[in-house]
Amino acid sequence: MDPFDAGADGLLKQPKSVWATAGASVVAFMGIGLVDPILPSIAQGLDATASQVSLLFTSYFLITAVAMLVTGFVSSRIGGRRTLLLGLAFVVVFAGLAGTSGSVGELVGFRAGWGLGNALFVSTALAVIVGAAAGGSAAAILLYESALGLGMACGPLLGALLGDASWRYPFFGTAFLMAVGFLCIAVFLKEQPKPARKTSLLDPIKALGHGGLASAAVSAFFYNYTFFTVLAFTPFVLNMSPYRSGAVFFAWGVLLAVFSVIVAPRLQKRFGSLKVLGGSLVLLAADVLVLGYGSHTAAVVCTILSGAFIGVNNTVYTELALGVSDAPRPVASAGYNFVRWFAAAAAPFFAPKIEEWTDVHIPFVVAALTAIAGAAVVVVRRKALTLPQALDSARAGGTPTAEEPEPKHATEDGVTVFAN
């Protein structure tokens, strides 16, 4: 029996604390793609350019990247429950303030505060779910990844539904939903024991001295540039109404969820992690080229299809980052995410700038090249990315291959791992 099928059987039999955390996680992940379908509306409402509005992603992920060095430090000192509540409180306040913005500068600043809160929450949620879930880590991981996929799918849909009336409403809606999540966690989640070992601010940087972890982070950096070119720049290229754009990115998110949770593990079981990752990156590069140079219909289809490749990549990168080095899992995750989230901050800024300097096609050429660069790192550094350990049976459920590192989804010393 596939262990993920077994995990699915126990998926619904979870305590209220797990459902409260998972539900809040869905909303937290919704915040990433929430602004996608309303980017043109925000630009029009605040009399801003595409490059100015794209800074909503840049400020959000720049703060998220830096915060990755802080989340383990904080959660190892105040505990998982308090870290979750602190993160949610930040999101409620700054998402609400974002809806009141009178200029694009104010909105960008409030999104930065939102990014800090989201980093604190999301980076701790998996540890809490694994610690409190029934049915073992496989069910907990499946629940968390399902929350990620559902949030990425529903974010654009919520943004479209509320944003059709006003671009401000999605921000107020997020603040309300996160306030509900705050109350649910405050009521249903008990404080978890603090870890015996406290994480320092420099531990994630030191962990990047490992060749395998550094290679995974660099490859993911290039990949994330491609990922967030699609997420942040494509809405301007499609130039659709909030409803239509929301539908496109909802379908994109559904593919991301399905391929991340269901398809990727089976591909890894059959072909091995590195071959799957390299092939998926090459296919993503081809996809974004067609997106940039094809007709409007082709652009819509390729935008949706990119969700499949992104879902596969997210899952494999998670396992490589957490399994390739001997660093504690939360430390390895923080170092890896610190590097890769800088690309998520860079792509939304540079893509519209490149369009201004050249034409609308070139940002996608650059995105294709960065995907190829990510694949090249995997090929050149494949020995560093390989461990002579079996892939965790909770993920692969089959005979291990030599190239497959053991994923470390769970927690160590009570601190989270977040790599998706």
Side-chain angles (χ1 to χ4, degrees), residues 213-246:
L213 182 60
S215 299
V218 170
S219 179
F221 174 90
F222 287 120
Y223 154 66
N224 261 33
Y225 186 95
T226 308
F227 177 180
F228 285 94
T229 296
V230 173
L231 191 62
F233 183 64
T234 301
F236 292 104
V237 176
L238 297 180
N239 193 26
M240 303 167 77
S241 69
Y243 276 128
R244 291 179 180 271
S245 182

Side-chain angles (χ1 to χ4, degrees), residues 60-71 116 119 201 334 337-339 341-342:
Y60 183 91
F61 287 112
L62 184 62
I63 295 300
T64 298
V66 176
M68 285 300 163
L69 302 180
V70 179
T71 53
L116 174 60
L201 294 175
N337 280 293
F338 173 71
V339 173
W341 284 124
F342 277 109

Side-chain angles (χ1 to χ4, degrees), residues 133-155:
S137 62
I141 294 165
L142 182 59
L143 183 62
Y144 178 81
E145 292 188 355
S146 298
L148 186 153
L150 184 61
M152 293 293 283
C154 292

Side-chain angles (χ1 to χ4, degrees), residues 16-374:
K16 293 180 180 179
S17 59
V18 172
W19 284 117
T21 307
S25 297
V26 171
V27 181
F29 288 120
M30 286 169 59
I32 295 177
L34 179 81
V35 299
D36 257 29
I38 58 172
L39 286 176
S41 299
I42 294 174
Q44 182 179 1
L46 295 178
D47 193 25
T49 65
S51 59
Q52 288 175 323
V53 172
S54 294
L55 291 175
L56 294 176
F57 286 98
T58 298
S59 62
Y60 183 91
F61 287 112
L62 184 62
I63 295 300
T64 298
V66 176
M68 285 300 163
L69 302 180
V70 179
T71 53
F73 177 88
V74 172
S75 63
S76 65
R77 285 162 174 77
I78 69 174
R81 180 176 180 273
R82 292 180 180 177
T83 303
L84 289 178
L85 293 175
L86 178 63
L88 287 170
F90 270 103
V91 174
V92 170
V93 171
F94 284 103
L97 288 173
T100 67
S101 299
S103 68
V104 70
E106 288 183 6
L107 186 55
V108 168
F110 292 142
R111 276 283 282 185
W114 184 346
L116 174 60
N118 217 47
L120 289 170
F121 175 81
V122 170
S123 66
T124 310
L126 178 58
V128 172
I129 290 175
V130 170
S137 62
I141 294 165
L142 182 59
L143 183 62
Y144 178 81
E145 292 188 355
S146 298
L148 186 153
L150 184 61
M152 293 293 283
C154 292
L157 192 62
L158 178 66
L161 293 174
L162 296 178
D164 188 61
S166 169
W167 65 263
R168 299 180 186 274
Y169 290 170
F171 297 109
F172 294 139
T174 299
F176 172 77
L177 291 174
M178 287 306 248
V180 173
F182 182 97
L183 292 175
C184 289
I185 288 177
V187 172
F188 295 118
L189 181 65
K190 298 179 180 179
E191 185 57 81
Q192 300 192 341
K194 297 178 183 179
R197 178 183 177 276
K198 295 180 179 179
T199 302
S200 78
L201 294 175
L202 293 180
D203 283 349
I205 301 297
K206 293 176 181 178
L208 290 170
H210 186 279
L213 182 60
S215 299
V218 170
S219 179
F221 174 90
F222 287 120
Y223 154 66
N224 261 33
Y225 186 95
T226 308
F227 177 180
F228 285 94
T229 296
V230 173
L231 191 62
F233 183 64
T234 301
F236 292 104
V237 176
L238 297 180
N239 193 26
M240 303 167 77
S241 69
Y243 276 128
R244 291 179 180 271
S245 182
V248 168
F249 279 96
F250 173 73
W252 168 86
V254 169
L255 278 186
L256 187 153
V258 170
F259 275 74
S260 176
V261 176
I262 299 174
V263 178
R266 286 157 174 76
L267 290 176
Q268 290 173 270
K269 176 181 176 180
R270 182 169 181 178
F271 300 107
S273 296
L274 299 186
K275 290 180 181 178
V276 169
L277 181 59
S280 181
L281 287 168
V282 171
L283 291 173
L284 178 61
D287 182 81
V288 297
L289 277 179
V290 176
L291 195 164
Y293 281 93
S295 65
H296 188 269
T297 300
V300 170
V301 172
C302 288
T303 299
I304 296 172
L305 183 59
S306 69
F309 306 125
I310 289 169
V312 170
N313 293 338
N314 284 352
T315 294
V316 181
Y317 273 120
T318 295
E319 296 177 358
L320 287 178
L322 301 180
V324 76
S325 76
D326 55 359
R329 293 159 181 165
V331 173
S333 175
Y336 161 78
N337 280 293
F338 173 71
V339 173
R340 78 180 186 112
W341 284 124
F342 277 109
F349 175 78
F350 283 111
K353 287 293 185 182
I354 292 171
E355 181 198 14
E356 293 174 8
W357 300 332
T358 56
D359 60 52
V360 72
H361 306 297
I362 303 303
F364 295 101
V365 174
V366 175
L369 291 174
T370 54
I372 294 296

